[in-house]
Amino acid sequence: MVDRAARRLTYARAGHDRPLLVRARRSRNSAARARSWGAGGNLLGLSEERIDLAPGDRLVLYTDGLVDSLSPEGESFGEDRLKDFLAVHGDLPPRELCDAAFAELVAFQGGAEQYDDMAVLTTEVE
């Protein structure tokens, strides 16, 4: 549920990776910040969480196939690498951000087989 007036998102997840919140750059010389959002635990695989949002924030939801993607050497792309990518490119418009994320993954995979689905959803707070 989105409460537009309060700029608050309340959502439930059932074992999926926690969304990433990309805080807008506060100045031209600062970097965007990307962090996982939500509680670490859950009850019977289901948890309800709330995110207070600010103008310029981006919320990035993704499937585990994205961070579990492997390089030819067997290294996982990982959440930290995704956060680092978002810290640099997080100010791109949502569609361009998704396209750039997939381009980054394809380059990381270097031809390694993709064994799981990948999806990314990005939205920006006005």
Side-chain angles (χ1 to χ4, degrees):
M1 279 182 105
V2 176
D3 180 340
R4 291 182 68 154
R7 287 194 173 101
R8 180 172 296 133
L9 170 70
T10 303
Y11 69 98
R13 66 183 181 92
H16 293 92
D17 289 349
R18 291 180 284 168
L20 297 176
L21 178 65
V22 181
R23 288 278 174 195
R25 295 173 193 219
R26 301 299 178 216
S27 72
R28 175 172 268 175
N29 296 329
S30 67
R33 291 183 28 222
R35 70 182 192 111
S36 298
W37 198 263
N42 53 40
L43 176 65
L44 298 175
L46 180 67
S47 62
E48 181 178 294
E49 298 161 350
R50 292 183 185 169
I51 301 175
D52 291 319
L53 303 166
D57 283 351
R58 292 210 168 75
L59 191 62
V60 179
L61 296 97
Y62 59 94
T63 59
D64 62 350
L66 189 131
V67 293
D68 292 342
S69 294
L70 298 176
S71 70
E73 296 78 28
E75 180 184 5
S76 175
F77 188 78
E79 184 179 301
D80 287 341
R81 193 181 314 266
L82 179 58
K83 287 179 188 175
D84 291 346
F85 169 83
L86 292 171
V88 173
H89 302 286
D91 59 347
L92 289 172
R95 180 169 184 110
E96 290 179 32
L97 182 58
C98 288
D99 290 344
F102 280 113
E104 183 81 4
L105 275 167
V106 167
F108 174 81
Q109 287 177 305
E113 184 177 338
Q114 179 64 34
Y115 61 90
D116 198 358
D117 64 294
M118 294 190 299
V120 176
L121 173 70
T122 303
T123 188
E124 181 178 11
V125 178
E126 295 180 353

